[in-house]
Amino acid sequence: MLFRSILFRTAVCAATFWLTASAIAVADVAGLLRGTVTVEGKATAGITVTLSGEGTVARTTTDTSGRFSFPRVAYGHYTVVAHSEGYPDATTQVDVSSSSVASVTLAITHLRTIGRTLATARGTGGTPVSQNALGRAQISTLPTNNSLNSLVETVPGIVKFSYNEPVAHGFHGLMYEIDGVPLAQSTSSNFSEIIDPKAVDSLEVFTGAFPAEFGGSRQGAVVNIITSRRNDFTGTAAGNFTVGGGSYGSMLAGLNQSFKLGASQLSLAVNNQETQRGIDSPTFVPIHDNSSLGDQFLRYVVPAGPGGQIALDLSNQTSLFQIPINTLSTNATTNPVVSPTATDDVQQEYNRFANLVYTHTSKDGSGFFQIAPWTQYSRVAYNGDLQNDIMQVFLDPTMSTCPNGKTACYLDGLREDRRAIYSGLRISQFHAGTRHALKVGVDGDTEVFSSDETLRVVPQDPKIPVTLPGPGVTPPPSTTFNDNAAQVGHQLGVYAEDKWSPNSRLTINYGLRYDYSNGFVQGNQLSPRVDINLAADAKNILHVYYGRFYAAPGLEDTRRDCVLVGACSGSPVYDLKPEHDSYWEGGIAHTFSPRMFGYVNLWKRNVANVLDTTQLFPTPIFAVFNNSIGRADGVEFRLQGTLPNLDTLAFSGSVSESFAGGISGSTFLFPPSALSSTTLQPEDHDQTYAANVQYTHRFGGDKQYFATLSPVYGSGYPVQFQNGPGRLPPHLTLDFALGRDAGKDRDHRLGFEISAQNVFNKQYLLKVNNGFNTTQWAPGAQWLFKLIAPT
């Protein structure tokens, strides 16, 4: 029955795809690739140069100086081949990153020993350190490819935290971009992911060295997503239909289809999935934890005159999450909250976005102009079961949390509906000369926020007896409060940056960005950025970077509930402040072979007014506040590439620490006693050691079969919330995937995938209830079987 409902909704969504909305435009997903071809040592005109990779094939010819260029090459790994009749081809491989300028030289000669050049150009003009790309071929083989967050968590510097939130370089906050246009991300309470990975062609993750074009919101990392690439299939149509099911009652169905309509291309993705294990549960075996998610995504790309292109993205997503509960007092050692068995708290999330991007590329391919209007609608409705919520009991044998020194107390109930409408415009101009690549841009956006909030509060009267929930138990007396808010806010970002290459060994990327924001509060900052990459030799690049970052608080992240439910005195105010960061990093990137590279990177971040989170106890909703100060630092490494037998390897690891202290914003979330100390304490997401490996073996006649092993290690999170060095136990889990690629074009071969996460069912604690966070267990073994049929 559940399976039929998923299929039915998939068909209905495909037929009734609709929406209104979009994303914040900040950065690009393409770089410039240029080079020179010589024949017997002389620059030669008319040589055919072919670029292939990531599903793309493009050709051009050299000019009278032997030069060629490919403008706006989407990030990824490519092969460049220069061909001249009567000579062996000259070949090189190159990695292109977003907003980079990659340069290659190809030498054609009759001397066979150098006639076929096979070298990588992960050079100084790109981002040799702190940038990681996952292509379609790699994503399809990973055991975690059903979750975008889990894919992001495979890169160094990013750890998996509660509710599968990726935390980057010590603090909350990632920027996501879809096809070059980022999405506004509230911090407070979203469980759903911004897009289904089945609609993702490739993704690129920056954990540092951010150029000046990035800014305005928290950027522990930036995730660039490409949903489809033009010309990545032959014929007039291609795609696949996926169905699957597995443990925890998981069911999924999805359709991904692309069409060539003359010179235009249309791509559509419709996906639905359900599970009985939606978010991290306070009990070892989840109770009341069902979830469902449906999303539809459409992209249309059409030429717009010579050198012009218009791209339209539309997306609609709805999701529903039951809020898991604990109904047994015997679980109190790890989770002291006991709820009535009939408690039915549910969170519903809605997100719609639309963007329209016009790009005009100059005749010589060395520059472009881009303008992108966008709009986005986001809504999070937490439907608290108020009558049962106030019957929840907190068991407090230490008498440290309940008021008046009681060993048990009632909790409060919450219901809220928070809505945000964003709209904005981005304009940018880029031009690359011989030594300089200059980019300037302006980003502006407006947010209209409104909220309806109801709190049912139980008076903390020592005369009121506390009784565990059960049949016939009468709810305690309570008082209802309303805390509704509405506000309009604006953000403006202006930047200029230059990638200066004084010679082939040195590139200096420097820029300046100004940010301004207003809303409940206002702020601004001028942020310099400097990035230096020096090629020490043909295989090693040295890298140093310094930058200042500014992050405006989201209007939807503001709350003032302490005045209403926490016995705080004074008038409620919204005083969440902007975050100000200073960031340094330095490292080395090494090329082991044309298809294997690695890097080591040291980084440090100092922060004022950290935008941090605590939970609205006992709900899973995150309330954002400012720590007065914060500090994080660490070292990370990455080894990634293809082995001689075509197996692939990615190995990431990090050693880091993250501290924060004091309260400087959203002060009315906390009682006055919490505001006095500014001593640095470990953040609750601080994990000292983290590592993961993905090893994929390809086999079969045409390498159509794959098997992937992926061990994951973490040394454990703090027991308390910014209060002492105690740690939860470390964890080591194993993920696994086995499958066969589905055919494409005229090959109608059926594909399949069997994936397993946490194969040996090693469940571990992510958090324990400590007055600021609820108890959360990581999931046990999760198995999923998928069939993929080409269409």
Side-chain angles (χ1 to χ4, degrees):
M1 192 71 179
L2 179 63
F3 181 68
R4 288 200 301 270
S5 71
I6 294 178
L7 290 178
F8 175 75
R9 272 180 281 181
T10 300
V12 170
C13 291
T16 61
F17 181 89
W18 63 278
L19 58 47
T20 64
S22 158
I24 307 175
V26 180
D28 203 7
V29 295
L32 171 65
L33 173 60
R34 60 188 180 187
T36 303
V37 179
T38 61
V39 178
E40 299 294 357
K42 296 181 180 180
T44 306
I47 302 299
T48 300
V49 182
T50 302
L51 174 74
S52 61
E54 306 293 352
T56 297
V57 177
R59 292 181 177 84
T60 189
T61 56
T62 57
D63 61 17
T64 55
S65 300
R67 299 190 182 96
F68 66 90
S69 67
F70 292 98
R72 299 195 56 74
V73 178
Y75 64 77
H77 187 85
Y78 296 89
T79 299
V80 186
V81 179
H83 174 76
S84 181
E85 291 295 332
Y87 290 87
D89 291 344
T91 302
T92 189
Q93 296 185 9
V94 58
D95 290 296
V96 177
S97 58
S98 297
S99 300
S100 68
V101 179
S103 299
V104 298
T105 300
L106 297 110
I108 297 176
T109 176
H110 275 301
L111 298 176
R112 295 283 180 177
T113 56
I114 61 173
R116 179 175 176 80
T117 304
L118 195 61
T120 187
R122 191 176 175 89
T124 61
T127 310
V129 173
S130 303
Q131 182 266 344
N132 306 271
L134 282 74
R136 176 176 15 180
Q138 183 179 1
I139 291 174
S140 66
T141 64
L142 295 180
T144 56
N145 63 17
N146 205 47
S147 165
L148 177 62
N149 286 348
S150 296
L151 292 175
V152 172
E153 290 157 359
T154 63
V155 307
I158 299 181
V159 298
K160 174 184 179 180
F161 195 43
S162 62
Y163 302 130
N164 201 22
E165 178 201 4
V167 176
H169 276 190
F171 298 107
H172 299 276
L174 273 65
M175 296 176 63
Y176 286 92
E177 303 176 12
I178 295 182
D179 297 319
V181 183
L183 289 176
Q185 291 287 296
S186 72
T187 313
S188 54
S189 54
N190 295 73
F191 301 132
S192 58
E193 300 184 356
I194 63 173
I195 192 172
D196 191 292
K198 291 187 287 296
V200 174
D201 177 278
S202 52
L203 61 90
E204 176 187 48
V205 183
F206 289 87
T207 56
F210 307 114
E213 60 191 296
F214 294 103
S217 62
R218 297 185 305 168
Q219 53 191 73
V222 176
V223 182
N224 269 339
I225 297 169
I226 293 180
T227 58
S228 63
R229 298 175 186 256
R230 298 199 66 192
N231 305 316
D232 60 357
F233 61 94
T234 61
T236 59
N240 60 70
F241 181 71
T242 302
V243 294
S247 59
Y248 290 110
S250 300
M251 293 286 182
L252 62 86
L255 174 67
N256 293 268
Q257 192 72 34
S258 294
F259 306 91
K260 287 183 179 176
L261 309 173
S264 305
Q265 183 168 316
L266 174 69
S267 298
L268 172 68
V270 181
N271 297 287
N272 282 276
Q273 53 186 314
E274 297 184 3
T275 179
Q276 295 170 10
R277 208 279 180 191
I279 61 177
D280 292 329
S281 170
T283 56
F284 192 82
V285 177
I287 303 170
H288 190 264
D289 199 10
N290 293 353
S291 73
S292 63
L293 185 145
D295 67 88
Q296 305 86 44
F297 181 83
L298 181 146
R299 178 168 173 80
Y300 181 62
V301 182
V302 59
Q309 176 182 282
I310 294 176
L312 171 69
D313 279 7
L314 303 174
S315 177
N316 178 64
Q317 185 183 86
T318 59
S319 55
L320 183 147
F321 297 89
Q322 289 183 332
I323 306 305
I325 58 175
N326 168 40
T327 60
L328 300 173
S329 60
T330 53
N331 291 324
T333 53
T334 57
N335 180 52
V337 177
V338 182
S339 303
T341 56
T343 303
D344 187 25
D345 297 333
V346 174
Q347 179 158 301
Q348 295 172 285
E349 301 178 14
Y350 311 86
N351 192 70
R352 303 170 184 170
F353 72 83
N355 61 69
L356 185 69
V357 182
Y358 170 74
T359 305
H360 182 269
T361 305
S362 61
K363 290 183 179 180
D364 63 359
S366 61
F368 65 86
F369 169 79
Q370 193 171 76
I371 182 170
W374 57 270
T375 180
Q376 179 175 337
Y377 170 77
S378 179
R379 179 184 178 190
V380 177
Y382 183 84
N383 298 317
D385 182 353
L386 297 180
Q387 187 71 5
N388 280 308
D389 286 346
I390 62 172
M391 296 179 66
Q392 296 180 105
V393 173
F394 182 80
L395 303 176
D396 186 19
T398 64
M399 297 182 290
S400 60
T401 300
C402 287
N404 302 314
K406 295 195 295 184
T407 59
C409 52
Y410 286 111
L411 299 176
D412 303 317
L414 172 69
R415 181 177 294 163
E416 64 177 25
D417 189 351
R418 304 169 73 82
R419 302 163 297 276
I421 301 174
Y422 309 85
S423 59
L425 179 69
R426 179 235 188 175
I427 301 174
S428 64
Q429 178 80 46
F430 171 83
H431 183 267
T434 304
R435 299 294 183 190
H436 293 268
L438 179 66
K439 188 173 186 179
V440 296
V442 178
D443 297 282
D445 66 79
T446 297
E447 177 185 353
V448 180
F449 165 71
S450 60
S451 172
D452 304 315
E453 189 169 39
T454 300
L455 299 104
R456 185 167 293 181
V457 180
V458 179
Q460 299 299 334
D461 187 343
K463 297 179 181 179
I464 299 176
V466 179
T467 305
L468 286 174
V473 174
T474 304
S478 62
T479 304
T480 299
F481 296 93
N482 293 311
D483 184 22
N484 302 332
Q487 183 66 44
V488 176
H490 306 87
Q491 291 192 53
L492 175 67
V494 182
Y495 66 88
E497 60 189 28
D498 178 32
K499 194 180 294 287
W500 175 38
S501 302
N503 55 56
S504 60
R505 296 179 55 201
L506 176 66
T507 297
I508 302 174
N509 187 5
Y510 59 97
L512 191 64
R513 180 182 180 92
Y514 173 76
D515 286 290
Y516 170 82
S517 64
N518 63 23
F520 291 111
V521 297
Q522 68 177 25
N524 65 86
Q525 180 173 293
L526 193 63
S527 305
R529 316 274 176 88
V530 181
D531 179 19
I532 302 174
N533 295 311
L534 174 66
D537 52 40
K539 292 189 174 184
N540 295 287
I541 298 175
L542 304 178
H543 162 81
V544 292
Y545 173 86
Y546 169 76
R548 290 272 293 156
F549 308 145
Y550 173 88
L555 302 181
E556 67 275 24
D557 287 338
T558 56
R559 287 176 170 85
R560 57 185 184 182
D561 300 317
C562 181
V563 172
L564 300 177
V565 303
C568 301
S569 60
S571 300
V573 296
Y574 294 102
D575 61 348
L576 192 62
K577 296 178 175 62
E579 179 179 303
H580 303 268
D581 297 26
S582 295
Y583 179 81
W584 300 262
E585 71 175 31
I588 182 171
H590 178 75
T591 300
F592 295 92
S593 71
R595 296 301 302 270
M596 182 71 69
F597 74 92
Y599 67 77
V600 177
N601 187 43
L602 288 82
W603 58 271
K604 180 179 178 65
R605 185 190 297 257
N606 288 335
V607 187
N609 296 324
V610 181
L611 288 169
D612 207 344
T613 61
T614 182
Q615 288 181 238
L616 284 179
F617 188 74
T619 75
I621 294 177
F622 288 110
V624 182
F625 70 98
N626 291 115
N627 274 126
S628 303
I629 54 175
R631 175 176 63 81
D633 52 66
V635 58
E636 61 196 17
F637 67 87
R638 174 81 163 178
L639 177 65
Q640 180 176 346
T642 303
L643 303 175
N645 63 353
L646 300 184
D647 288 357
T648 58
L649 171 68
F651 181 19
S652 298
S654 62
V655 181
S656 64
E657 57 182 8
S658 176
F659 299 92
I663 308 294
S664 59
S666 281
T667 56
F668 285 95
L669 283 169
F670 299 90
S673 60
L675 309 181
S676 57
S677 174
T678 56
T679 303
L680 288 171
Q681 295 286 345
E683 285 272 38
D684 57 354
H685 52 257
D686 174 54
Q687 184 163 243
T688 307
Y689 302 101
N692 65 82
V693 179
Q694 298 86 41
Y695 181 85
T696 300
H697 172 62
R698 285 278 182 177
F699 58 99
D702 56 357
K703 302 290 186 180
Q704 60 180 291
Y705 292 90
F706 63 86
T708 300
L709 286 176
S710 178
V712 181
Y713 173 78
S715 58
Y717 298 103
V719 175
Q720 296 296 322
F721 182 85
Q722 298 183 14
N723 185 22
R727 295 278 165 168
L728 295 170
H731 51 271
L732 175 63
T733 60
L734 178 67
D735 300 339
F736 171 77
L738 175 69
R740 181 176 72 174
D741 297 330
K744 59 181 181 179
D745 298 332
R746 294 182 176 84
D747 183 358
H748 299 291
R749 179 181 65 229
L750 187 69
F752 72 90
E753 179 187 335
I754 303 170
S755 62
Q757 298 180 51
N758 195 358
V759 173
F760 299 112
N761 199 33
K762 299 292 186 180
Q763 286 187 256
Y764 58 92
L765 280 166
L766 291 159
K767 291 180 180 179
V768 291
N769 194 301
N770 52 32
F772 294 91
N773 295 310
T774 59
T775 297
Q776 293 157 40
W777 283 91
Q782 299 180 86
W783 294 83
L784 185 65
F785 175 72
K786 292 188 286 188
L787 283 175
I788 306 102
T791 57

